[in-house]
Every structure is written in C-alpha cells, then in structure tokens.
Amino acid sequence: MSVPPIALEDAYTRLAEAFPGLAITQPTADEELPRHDGWVTATTLAEGGTGLDAFLAWDDAQVLRDYGQSARADVVASFGLHRYAWPVCLLITVPWFLLRRVPRFPVTHVSYDRTAPGLAIGRLAARPATFACLPDDPAALLPGARVVPDEEALRSEVRAAVAEHLEPVLAGFGPRMRRRGRALWGMATDEVVEGLWYVAHLFGDGELDRARRELELLLPGATQPYVGSAAFRELTGPNGESLPTRDRASCCMFYTLRPEDTCATCPRTCDADRVTKLLAAAS
C-alpha cells in the first residue's frame, strides 16, 4: 500500500526552508527511482561493486582538489559513507521530530544525487514503504500508516527504521573502510544524532534544546545495534559560558588529512581545545 506524500510533506517542506542545501522528493508508486545523471540508488551502494567505486571516485577527487593530497582508500570510503548517511538519516528523524511520524525506507526505495548544482548536500528521491504514528495522529487513517501505542514505541520505530536502511549500506561500505560491526554502527549513531542536532538549530524557536532532549531519549545507551548514547554534555568557557558539546562514538578520519584541525566533537579533541573551537564557532 503506497504512502501518500502528504504524510511526510510538511516535515520535508520545513526542512527545505530551514536547510535549502538538501532537496527531498517523494516519487509516486508508479515512478521509477532515478538512477542516471548523477543519481545513485541505495541498492547500488549496498552491493559494494563498481557502482560504489564510481560513487567514491567523487570523494577521492574532492580530497585531492581541496587538500592537494590523496587520502587513504579507507578514509575516502569513510567520507563517502558520511556524506550519504547524514542526509538519509534526516529522511527518518525529521518527520519523527516534527510530526511524530516515522517512515520506513528500504534500500530499494531511495536514490541520492550529490552533484545537483546549487545544493550543498544534494537531493534525495525517497518513497516510504510504511510509516508509524501515534493513535491520536490524523494521519493514522492514511494508507500505509501503522499505529504504535506511545512515544517509546515511536522511538523504537526510529531506531528500527534507520537500522533497516543503513544495515545493507554499511555492509557495502564496510570492506572499503576496514571497519566492521561496532565501528560502523558507531558512525551510524553519530549520523543520527548530529544530523538532527544540526538542523534543529536551524528550525529555531527552542528546537535545538528539544532535539537534544529527544535524542537523549532516542539513544540512552544499550540500544543495539547503536553504540553508546547521544552523549551530550556541557563545557564551561573562560567567562562561565555554557558550551554544549557531545562525544562522538566514531572518528571521521579527517585528522589523516589535517591532524591539527579536528572537529569539536572528535574523540581525539581534548576539552581545552573543544572550548577554543566552540568559542570560535560562536563568534
């Protein structure tokens, strides 16, 4: 049963307004997912063959162009996975956060194009297979709706939906990254948390604080296959400033290109350096 676009449309519209670097379309049931002219299907990435090679060639060329050096093959693959997983997690977490609706996207239902002009992240074509919602949601009457009893059940749906989509993709990328199991799911955990945390601050109206609370409930720890918790904490600046940060469960490998320029949530960055980076970003 096809899910009508209206079930998720408001969430994706608000995301596009706040974050125009990513475009999301919902092909109808009788439309094929795009697979040419820059588009790559999630199935192709999961297969891990020549299609994945072609996808990662973009990352390889980007590193050489921007940093004047080549990166290790496993680093290139890590960059490529991040650039796919970060936006694809938003397909699931943003409707949950804004509408309390959790769509399911098997790998056969998503295509990605990061080459579209004018879009920093790219565009996703995604057809939901079903969606979960709460009993009092008017969307419970729509085709493809699955009613769950409460907020914790809805959080469980988020974890399951992300895992359903990412598990085969991680299997495709894993051998290229020289990572397995826990390391890959640590990266997936970070994509879930940092993607929603980032776009929530663009939504305004206190949504950043709400996102932090929601993510702490979503990933409290011991929620396999995810690794650890949302891992938010507060640091204090030299003038008593409160500086929110989190501890990543994985490393993005950027240090292999610029050892002196790690991100503020990197497990390699000490708290003193985090404070310096967070203050610089705030100013």
Side-chain angles (χ1 to χ4, degrees):
M1 186 177 295
S2 176
V3 175
I6 193 173
L8 308 175
E9 194 169 56
D10 287 350
Y12 295 152
T13 297
R14 186 172 175 192
L15 176 61
E17 291 170 350
F19 185 51
L22 175 64
I24 298 172
T25 58
Q26 298 183 74
T28 60
D30 57 354
E31 290 181 288
E32 287 192 10
L33 289 175
R35 59 183 67 241
H36 303 292
D37 301 322
W39 289 94
V40 60
T41 65
T43 301
T44 296
L45 300 180
E47 289 170 348
T50 56
L52 181 56
D53 290 336
F55 181 79
L56 293 177
W58 188 96
D59 298 278
D60 197 19
Q62 176 269 322
V63 169
L64 186 60
R65 180 185 68 245
D66 291 355
Y67 303 108
Q69 65 184 95
S70 296
R72 296 188 330 233
D74 61 308
V75 174
V76 169
S78 294
F79 289 178
L81 177 59
H82 163 67
R83 287 165 174 156
Y84 175 76
W86 193 91
V88 87
C89 286
L90 296 176
L91 287 174
I92 298 164
T93 58
V94 168
W96 165 65
F97 182 69
L98 295 178
L99 303 177
R100 318 317 281 175
R101 298 171 192 167
V102 181
R104 291 288 188 110
F105 293 102
V107 289
T108 52
H109 287 221
V110 175
S111 284
Y112 177 48
D113 173 22
R114 59 178 173 183
T115 66
L119 294 173
I121 302 299
R123 51 186 178 167
L124 286 161
R127 182 189 301 119
T130 63
F131 71 97
C133 63
L134 296 171
D136 60 351
D137 188 336
L141 300 176
L142 292 175
R146 294 185 299 105
V147 176
V148 298
D150 53 34
E151 290 282 357
E152 179 50 41
L154 206 60
R155 288 189 283 269
S156 180
E157 287 288 331
V158 175
R159 294 188 290 265
V162 172
E164 177 187 32
H165 185 86
L166 284 188
E167 186 170 22
V169 175
L170 296 180
F173 275 87
R176 314 297 181 92
M177 296 168 60
R178 300 191 296 190
R179 299 187 191 184
R180 297 292 187 274
R182 182 177 176 84
L184 289 172
W185 283 106
M187 190 169 182
T189 303
D190 290 329
E191 306 301 356
V192 170
V193 176
E194 296 196 350
L196 184 59
W197 193 31
Y198 178 78
V199 299
H201 95 272
L202 302 177
F203 293 150
D205 299 326
E207 294 289 62
L208 181 61
D209 290 338
R210 185 168 76 87
R212 175 171 171 170
R213 294 192 300 270
E214 295 279 10
L215 287 164
E216 288 173 333
L217 292 170
L218 178 69
L219 295 169
T223 48
Q224 293 183 345
Y226 303 97
V227 175
S229 67
F232 290 109
R233 59 191 180 96
E234 299 283 334
L235 296 175
T236 303
N239 298 312
E241 307 95 328
S242 176
L243 301 171
T245 188
R246 68 174 297 264
D247 296 315
R248 287 179 57 89
S250 68
C251 178
C252 71
M253 310 297 283
F254 184 69
Y255 80 93
T256 62
L257 297 173
R258 292 289 187 273
E260 73 286 355
D261 191 18
T262 57
C263 63
T265 57
C266 178
R268 295 172 174 270
T269 304
C270 69
D271 281 359
D273 289 344
R274 288 189 188 213
V275 168
T276 299
K277 291 174 183 292
L278 291 168
L279 288 172
S283 64

